[in-house]
Amino acid sequence: MMNELEFEKPVLELREKIAELREFTNTSDVDLSDEIDKLEERLEKLEKEIYENMRPWDRVQLARHSKRPTTLDYIDQLFTDFMELHGDRLYGDDHAIVGGIAKYRGIPVTVIGHQRGRDTKENIRRNFGMPHPEGYRKALRLMKQAEKFQRPVICFIDTKGAYPGKAAEERGQSEAIARNLFEMAGLTVPVICIVTGEGGSGGALALGIGDRIYMLENSTYSVITPEGAASILWKDASLAKQAAEALKITAPDLKDLGIIDEIIPEVRGGAHRDVVKQSEEIDKVLQKALEELLQTESETLLQNRYMKFKKMGKYKEQQFENVQS
């Protein structure tokens, strides 16, 4: 994906102009400070107008940004003493999911997340962040280990979906995802899930059964991609923008629907602009959530988790009178 997004073009062009004027000022005797100040004021207003009025498709583009921070980026910023663990003890090690033990503010935790690559070579190695069954089984092994040693589990979600290839299906992709859903629902330790980029289908949900579910402001969470929905509904993937509007896949939509607990604000322009500041925003909700959940008894934790997912979704029951002929 190109780093330049369509809706950002006016902002990027203005930034480039400011950079050119600064360079000219530094390399010549001409002082253009007043012009630069005016352009910076204009940039501030333009950024506010664009980034505070983004449409769902704009957020989809940001969630897919090639420079968006990954699980390992956040682990580096938020945790100490991280030790990555590998393999599912059944088949092999899936690089599309990373996980291990670490400390968060001195508290031992287990951290698990989808991992994309930064370039073509790494993306191939990590299968573009789309896990095979062994990735989910590795995640489950680490979760059960966390339960054994009473460590909270923190999951970072960022995947287009589980890998749909023949080999993955042969090794039990659907079963691996279903097993994770079942086992996560019954974990006796706190589980915190954060959607940091794309939350796609069962591939995302397999790390998404938690006591707290958060989304970064410009992330998405959906049963299908906008392109996939457009292809099925209208037989035209080019209508993805309209599908994004209809699917209700953005953080504000899902907060209104009661699917997530809280929206984590993003750095203006997207999390990739400043991973340090973005990590500070995640840190705020993590600290609060762990303080609350670690004081909750296991039985209460399980009951609350059960009720949390039971209440998701709205429906109406309608009574029909029997009509006798």
mmCIF file of all heavy atoms in Angstrom, residues 217-252:
data_model
loop_
_atom_site.group_PDB
_atom_site.id
_atom_site.type_symbol
_atom_site.label_atom_id
_atom_site.label_comp_id
_atom_site.label_asym_id
_atom_site.label_seq_id
_atom_site.Cartn_x
_atom_site.Cartn_y
_atom_site.Cartn_z
ATOM 1 N N GLU A 217 -8.450 4.732 17.768
ATOM 2 C CA GLU A 217 -9.435 5.596 17.119
ATOM 3 C C GLU A 217 -9.607 5.309 15.635
ATOM 4 O O GLU A 217 -10.721 5.370 15.107
ATOM 5 C CB GLU A 217 -8.996 7.051 17.323
ATOM 6 C CG GLU A 217 -9.950 8.098 16.827
ATOM 7 C CD GLU A 217 -9.442 9.501 17.088
ATOM 8 O OE1 GLU A 217 -8.397 9.646 17.776
ATOM 9 O OE2 GLU A 217 -10.078 10.447 16.601
ATOM 10 N N ASN A 218 -8.517 4.979 14.939
ATOM 11 C CA ASN A 218 -8.591 4.758 13.499
ATOM 12 C C ASN A 218 -8.415 3.295 13.108
ATOM 13 O O ASN A 218 -8.014 2.989 11.988
ATOM 14 C CB ASN A 218 -7.544 5.618 12.779
ATOM 15 C CG ASN A 218 -7.812 7.100 12.948
ATOM 16 O OD1 ASN A 218 -8.952 7.541 12.813
ATOM 17 N ND2 ASN A 218 -6.786 7.860 13.274
ATOM 18 N N SER A 219 -8.723 2.396 14.021
ATOM 19 C CA SER A 219 -8.680 0.973 13.687
ATOM 20 C C SER A 219 -10.068 0.523 13.220
ATOM 21 O O SER A 219 -11.039 1.272 13.317
ATOM 22 C CB SER A 219 -8.233 0.156 14.903
ATOM 23 O OG SER A 219 -9.116 0.344 15.985
ATOM 24 N N THR A 220 -10.147 -0.699 12.720
ATOM 25 C CA THR A 220 -11.422 -1.257 12.263
ATOM 26 C C THR A 220 -11.592 -2.664 12.830
ATOM 27 O O THR A 220 -10.619 -3.342 13.139
ATOM 28 C CB THR A 220 -11.490 -1.323 10.719
ATOM 29 O OG1 THR A 220 -10.436 -2.168 10.221
ATOM 30 C CG2 THR A 220 -11.353 0.067 10.109
ATOM 31 N N TYR A 221 -12.843 -3.087 12.945
ATOM 32 C CA TYR A 221 -13.145 -4.415 13.510
ATOM 33 C C TYR A 221 -14.404 -4.910 12.817
ATOM 34 O O TYR A 221 -15.468 -4.315 12.957
ATOM 35 C CB TYR A 221 -13.368 -4.267 15.015
ATOM 36 C CG TYR A 221 -13.213 -5.535 15.834
ATOM 37 C CD1 TYR A 221 -12.548 -6.658 15.357
ATOM 38 C CD2 TYR A 221 -13.739 -5.587 17.127
ATOM 39 C CE1 TYR A 221 -12.398 -7.788 16.145
ATOM 40 C CE2 TYR A 221 -13.596 -6.714 17.926
ATOM 41 C CZ TYR A 221 -12.916 -7.812 17.422
ATOM 42 O OH TYR A 221 -12.776 -8.935 18.198
ATOM 43 N N SER A 222 -14.272 -5.989 12.033
ATOM 44 C CA SER A 222 -15.407 -6.389 11.209
ATOM 45 C C SER A 222 -15.336 -7.859 10.833
ATOM 46 O O SER A 222 -14.258 -8.465 10.795
ATOM 47 C CB SER A 222 -15.434 -5.553 9.931
ATOM 48 O OG SER A 222 -16.443 -5.989 9.056
ATOM 49 N N VAL A 223 -16.481 -8.420 10.513
ATOM 50 C CA VAL A 223 -16.572 -9.810 10.096
ATOM 51 C C VAL A 223 -16.009 -10.014 8.691
ATOM 52 O O VAL A 223 -15.661 -11.129 8.299
ATOM 53 C CB VAL A 223 -18.035 -10.299 10.157
ATOM 54 C CG1 VAL A 223 -18.866 -9.638 9.067
ATOM 55 C CG2 VAL A 223 -18.127 -11.812 10.047
ATOM 56 N N ILE A 224 -15.893 -8.931 7.921
ATOM 57 C CA ILE A 224 -15.414 -9.019 6.544
ATOM 58 C C ILE A 224 -14.852 -7.669 6.129
ATOM 59 O O ILE A 224 -15.231 -6.631 6.672
ATOM 60 C CB ILE A 224 -16.572 -9.442 5.589
ATOM 61 C CG1 ILE A 224 -16.036 -9.868 4.218
ATOM 62 C CG2 ILE A 224 -17.617 -8.333 5.465
ATOM 63 C CD1 ILE A 224 -17.102 -10.497 3.340
ATOM 64 N N THR A 225 -13.928 -7.663 5.172
ATOM 65 C CA THR A 225 -13.382 -6.404 4.669
ATOM 66 C C THR A 225 -14.434 -5.681 3.826
ATOM 67 O O THR A 225 -15.344 -6.316 3.276
ATOM 68 C CB THR A 225 -12.147 -6.654 3.781
ATOM 69 O OG1 THR A 225 -12.545 -7.416 2.625
ATOM 70 C CG2 THR A 225 -11.057 -7.386 4.541
ATOM 71 N N PRO A 226 -14.319 -4.373 3.680
ATOM 72 C CA PRO A 226 -15.257 -3.650 2.812
ATOM 73 C C PRO A 226 -15.244 -4.182 1.381
ATOM 74 O O PRO A 226 -16.294 -4.286 0.736
ATOM 75 C CB PRO A 226 -14.745 -2.205 2.875
ATOM 76 C CG PRO A 226 -14.077 -2.106 4.209
ATOM 77 C CD PRO A 226 -13.435 -3.442 4.422
ATOM 78 N N GLU A 227 -14.048 -4.547 0.872
ATOM 79 C CA GLU A 227 -13.965 -5.084 -0.485
ATOM 80 C C GLU A 227 -14.715 -6.413 -0.591
ATOM 81 O O GLU A 227 -15.423 -6.666 -1.572
ATOM 82 C CB GLU A 227 -12.495 -5.297 -0.879
ATOM 83 C CG GLU A 227 -11.699 -4.018 -1.030
ATOM 84 C CD GLU A 227 -11.029 -3.578 0.267
ATOM 85 O OE1 GLU A 227 -11.439 -4.053 1.357
ATOM 86 O OE2 GLU A 227 -10.110 -2.759 0.198
ATOM 87 N N GLY A 228 -14.553 -7.263 0.441
ATOM 88 C CA GLY A 228 -15.239 -8.553 0.436
ATOM 89 C C GLY A 228 -16.739 -8.391 0.501
ATOM 90 O O GLY A 228 -17.492 -9.080 -0.217
ATOM 91 N N ALA A 229 -17.195 -7.468 1.352
ATOM 92 C CA ALA A 229 -18.635 -7.225 1.469
ATOM 93 C C ALA A 229 -19.207 -6.685 0.165
ATOM 94 O O ALA A 229 -20.290 -7.099 -0.276
ATOM 95 C CB ALA A 229 -18.901 -6.246 2.614
ATOM 96 N N ALA A 230 -18.476 -5.760 -0.471
ATOM 97 C CA ALA A 230 -18.952 -5.183 -1.735
ATOM 98 C C ALA A 230 -19.026 -6.245 -2.828
ATOM 99 O O ALA A 230 -19.948 -6.245 -3.649
ATOM 100 C CB ALA A 230 -18.023 -4.048 -2.160
ATOM 101 N N SER A 231 -18.049 -7.168 -2.827
ATOM 102 C CA SER A 231 -18.041 -8.237 -3.833
ATOM 103 C C SER A 231 -19.239 -9.164 -3.673
ATOM 104 O O SER A 231 -19.825 -9.628 -4.658
ATOM 105 C CB SER A 231 -16.748 -9.048 -3.732
ATOM 106 O OG SER A 231 -15.633 -8.240 -4.029
ATOM 107 N N ILE A 232 -19.594 -9.440 -2.408
ATOM 108 C CA ILE A 232 -20.720 -10.350 -2.147
ATOM 109 C C ILE A 232 -22.062 -9.656 -2.389
ATOM 110 O O ILE A 232 -22.948 -10.197 -3.053
ATOM 111 C CB ILE A 232 -20.651 -10.876 -0.702
ATOM 112 C CG1 ILE A 232 -19.427 -11.791 -0.540
ATOM 113 C CG2 ILE A 232 -21.927 -11.633 -0.328
ATOM 114 C CD1 ILE A 232 -19.148 -12.196 0.890
ATOM 115 N N LEU A 233 -22.198 -8.437 -1.857
ATOM 116 C CA LEU A 233 -23.485 -7.748 -1.921
ATOM 117 C C LEU A 233 -23.792 -7.191 -3.303
ATOM 118 O O LEU A 233 -24.922 -7.284 -3.782
ATOM 119 C CB LEU A 233 -23.524 -6.621 -0.890
ATOM 120 C CG LEU A 233 -23.502 -7.035 0.587
ATOM 121 C CD1 LEU A 233 -23.407 -5.805 1.472
ATOM 122 C CD2 LEU A 233 -24.762 -7.832 0.928
ATOM 123 N N TRP A 234 -22.777 -6.580 -3.919
ATOM 124 C CA TRP A 234 -23.025 -5.863 -5.170
ATOM 125 C C TRP A 234 -22.189 -6.382 -6.340
ATOM 126 O O TRP A 234 -22.198 -5.779 -7.418
ATOM 127 C CB TRP A 234 -22.765 -4.372 -4.956
ATOM 128 C CG TRP A 234 -23.548 -3.810 -3.815
ATOM 129 C CD1 TRP A 234 -24.892 -3.890 -3.637
ATOM 130 C CD2 TRP A 234 -23.037 -3.097 -2.678
ATOM 131 N NE1 TRP A 234 -25.253 -3.265 -2.468
ATOM 132 C CE2 TRP A 234 -24.144 -2.766 -1.852
ATOM 133 C CE3 TRP A 234 -21.769 -2.689 -2.276
ATOM 134 C CZ2 TRP A 234 -24.005 -2.071 -0.657
ATOM 135 C CZ3 TRP A 234 -21.625 -1.996 -1.072
ATOM 136 C CH2 TRP A 234 -22.737 -1.696 -0.280
ATOM 137 N N LYS A 235 -21.452 -7.460 -6.106
ATOM 138 C CA LYS A 235 -20.610 -8.062 -7.150
ATOM 139 C C LYS A 235 -19.606 -7.068 -7.718
ATOM 140 O O LYS A 235 -19.221 -7.146 -8.891
ATOM 141 C CB LYS A 235 -21.476 -8.621 -8.307
ATOM 142 C CG LYS A 235 -22.643 -9.496 -7.874
ATOM 143 C CD LYS A 235 -22.188 -10.720 -7.120
ATOM 144 C CE LYS A 235 -23.368 -11.594 -6.711
ATOM 145 N NZ LYS A 235 -22.960 -12.738 -5.861
ATOM 146 N N ASP A 236 -19.161 -6.135 -6.873
ATOM 147 C CA ASP A 236 -18.242 -5.099 -7.346
ATOM 148 C C ASP A 236 -17.378 -4.615 -6.186
ATOM 149 O O ASP A 236 -17.831 -3.827 -5.342
ATOM 150 C CB ASP A 236 -19.044 -3.936 -7.944
ATOM 151 C CG ASP A 236 -18.145 -2.891 -8.601
ATOM 152 O OD1 ASP A 236 -16.909 -3.014 -8.501
ATOM 153 O OD2 ASP A 236 -18.685 -1.948 -9.208
ATOM 154 N N ALA A 237 -16.124 -5.054 -6.140
ATOM 155 C CA ALA A 237 -15.223 -4.685 -5.050
ATOM 156 C C ALA A 237 -14.887 -3.195 -5.035
ATOM 157 O O ALA A 237 -14.466 -2.661 -4.009
ATOM 158 C CB ALA A 237 -13.932 -5.500 -5.139
ATOM 159 N N SER A 238 -15.090 -2.520 -6.180
ATOM 160 C CA SER A 238 -14.792 -1.083 -6.236
ATOM 161 C C SER A 238 -15.758 -0.256 -5.399
ATOM 162 O O SER A 238 -15.533 0.933 -5.166
ATOM 163 C CB SER A 238 -14.817 -0.600 -7.687
ATOM 164 O OG SER A 238 -16.133 -0.659 -8.215
ATOM 165 N N LEU A 239 -16.834 -0.882 -4.931
ATOM 166 C CA LEU A 239 -17.801 -0.183 -4.076
ATOM 167 C C LEU A 239 -17.453 -0.341 -2.591
ATOM 168 O O LEU A 239 -18.314 -0.218 -1.727
ATOM 169 C CB LEU A 239 -19.212 -0.711 -4.348
ATOM 170 C CG LEU A 239 -19.751 -0.492 -5.760
ATOM 171 C CD1 LEU A 239 -21.116 -1.151 -5.921
ATOM 172 C CD2 LEU A 239 -19.842 1.007 -6.073
ATOM 173 N N ALA A 240 -16.186 -0.603 -2.317
ATOM 174 C CA ALA A 240 -15.733 -0.820 -0.937
ATOM 175 C C ALA A 240 -16.005 0.383 -0.038
ATOM 176 O O ALA A 240 -16.313 0.231 1.148
ATOM 177 C CB ALA A 240 -14.247 -1.155 -0.927
ATOM 178 N N LYS A 241 -15.921 1.571 -0.604
ATOM 179 C CA LYS A 241 -16.152 2.782 0.192
ATOM 180 C C LYS A 241 -17.583 2.807 0.737
ATOM 181 O O LYS A 241 -17.800 3.110 1.915
ATOM 182 C CB LYS A 241 -15.890 4.028 -0.652
ATOM 183 C CG LYS A 241 -15.957 5.331 0.130
ATOM 184 C CD LYS A 241 -15.690 6.547 -0.761
ATOM 185 C CE LYS A 241 -14.280 6.559 -1.272
ATOM 186 N NZ LYS A 241 -13.977 7.825 -1.999
ATOM 187 N N GLN A 242 -18.543 2.450 -0.113
ATOM 188 C CA GLN A 242 -19.942 2.400 0.337
ATOM 189 C C GLN A 242 -20.142 1.275 1.355
ATOM 190 O O GLN A 242 -20.882 1.422 2.329
ATOM 191 C CB GLN A 242 -20.865 2.186 -0.861
ATOM 192 C CG GLN A 242 -20.973 3.382 -1.790
ATOM 193 C CD GLN A 242 -19.962 3.355 -2.923
ATOM 194 O OE1 GLN A 242 -18.780 3.075 -2.703
ATOM 195 N NE2 GLN A 242 -20.421 3.639 -4.125
ATOM 196 N N ALA A 243 -19.465 0.161 1.133
ATOM 197 C CA ALA A 243 -19.579 -0.966 2.065
ATOM 198 C C ALA A 243 -19.033 -0.595 3.438
ATOM 199 O O ALA A 243 -19.599 -0.975 4.467
ATOM 200 C CB ALA A 243 -18.844 -2.181 1.509
ATOM 201 N N ALA A 244 -17.951 0.166 3.462
ATOM 202 C CA ALA A 244 -17.361 0.595 4.734
ATOM 203 C C ALA A 244 -18.345 1.429 5.545
ATOM 204 O O ALA A 244 -18.407 1.329 6.778
ATOM 205 C CB ALA A 244 -16.076 1.385 4.480
ATOM 206 N N GLU A 245 -19.138 2.240 4.856
ATOM 207 C CA GLU A 245 -20.151 3.054 5.531
ATOM 208 C C GLU A 245 -21.234 2.163 6.145
ATOM 209 O O GLU A 245 -21.688 2.384 7.262
ATOM 210 C CB GLU A 245 -20.798 4.019 4.529
ATOM 211 C CG GLU A 245 -19.864 5.041 3.916
ATOM 212 C CD GLU A 245 -19.692 6.272 4.790
ATOM 213 O OE1 GLU A 245 -20.431 6.403 5.775
ATOM 214 O OE2 GLU A 245 -18.809 7.091 4.463
ATOM 215 N N ALA A 246 -21.633 1.128 5.391
ATOM 216 C CA ALA A 246 -22.753 0.282 5.822
ATOM 217 C C ALA A 246 -22.371 -0.725 6.902
ATOM 218 O O ALA A 246 -23.211 -1.103 7.726
ATOM 219 C CB ALA A 246 -23.312 -0.460 4.606
ATOM 220 N N LEU A 247 -21.118 -1.135 6.923
ATOM 221 C CA LEU A 247 -20.701 -2.219 7.825
ATOM 222 C C LEU A 247 -20.581 -1.813 9.291
ATOM 223 O O LEU A 247 -20.578 -2.679 10.171
ATOM 224 C CB LEU A 247 -19.348 -2.783 7.352
ATOM 225 C CG LEU A 247 -19.383 -3.720 6.147
ATOM 226 C CD1 LEU A 247 -17.967 -3.980 5.637
ATOM 227 C CD2 LEU A 247 -20.053 -5.036 6.519
ATOM 228 N N LYS A 248 -20.453 -0.511 9.568
ATOM 229 C CA LYS A 248 -20.263 -0.041 10.945
ATOM 230 C C LYS A 248 -19.021 -0.683 11.571
ATOM 231 O O LYS A 248 -19.079 -1.339 12.611
ATOM 232 C CB LYS A 248 -21.497 -0.363 11.806
ATOM 233 C CG LYS A 248 -22.810 0.145 11.256
ATOM 234 C CD LYS A 248 -22.842 1.657 11.228
ATOM 235 C CE LYS A 248 -24.184 2.186 10.733
ATOM 236 N NZ LYS A 248 -24.212 3.663 10.594
ATOM 237 N N ILE A 249 -17.879 -0.472 10.943
ATOM 238 C CA ILE A 249 -16.652 -1.150 11.372
ATOM 239 C C ILE A 249 -15.674 -0.255 12.133
ATOM 240 O O ILE A 249 -14.625 -0.721 12.571
ATOM 241 C CB ILE A 249 -15.914 -1.736 10.154
ATOM 242 C CG1 ILE A 249 -15.494 -0.630 9.178
ATOM 243 C CG2 ILE A 249 -16.777 -2.765 9.463
ATOM 244 C CD1 ILE A 249 -14.703 -1.145 7.970
ATOM 245 N N THR A 250 -16.017 1.013 12.301
ATOM 246 C CA THR A 250 -15.090 1.924 12.964
ATOM 247 C C THR A 250 -15.281 1.918 14.477
ATOM 248 O O THR A 250 -16.306 1.461 14.989
ATOM 249 C CB THR A 250 -15.267 3.365 12.449
ATOM 250 O OG1 THR A 250 -16.558 3.847 12.853
ATOM 251 C CG2 THR A 250 -15.166 3.421 10.932
ATOM 252 N N ALA A 251 -14.290 2.450 15.173
ATOM 253 C CA ALA A 251 -14.345 2.480 16.638
ATOM 254 C C ALA A 251 -15.569 3.231 17.172
ATOM 255 O O ALA A 251 -16.244 2.733 18.079
ATOM 256 C CB ALA A 251 -13.047 3.081 17.192
ATOM 257 N N PRO A 252 -15.904 4.413 16.643
ATOM 258 C CA PRO A 252 -17.109 5.098 17.132
ATOM 259 C C PRO A 252 -18.383 4.280 16.939
ATOM 260 O O PRO A 252 -19.243 4.239 17.823
ATOM 261 C CB PRO A 252 -17.138 6.389 16.300
ATOM 262 C CG PRO A 252 -15.718 6.635 15.929
ATOM 263 C CD PRO A 252 -15.141 5.269 15.699
#
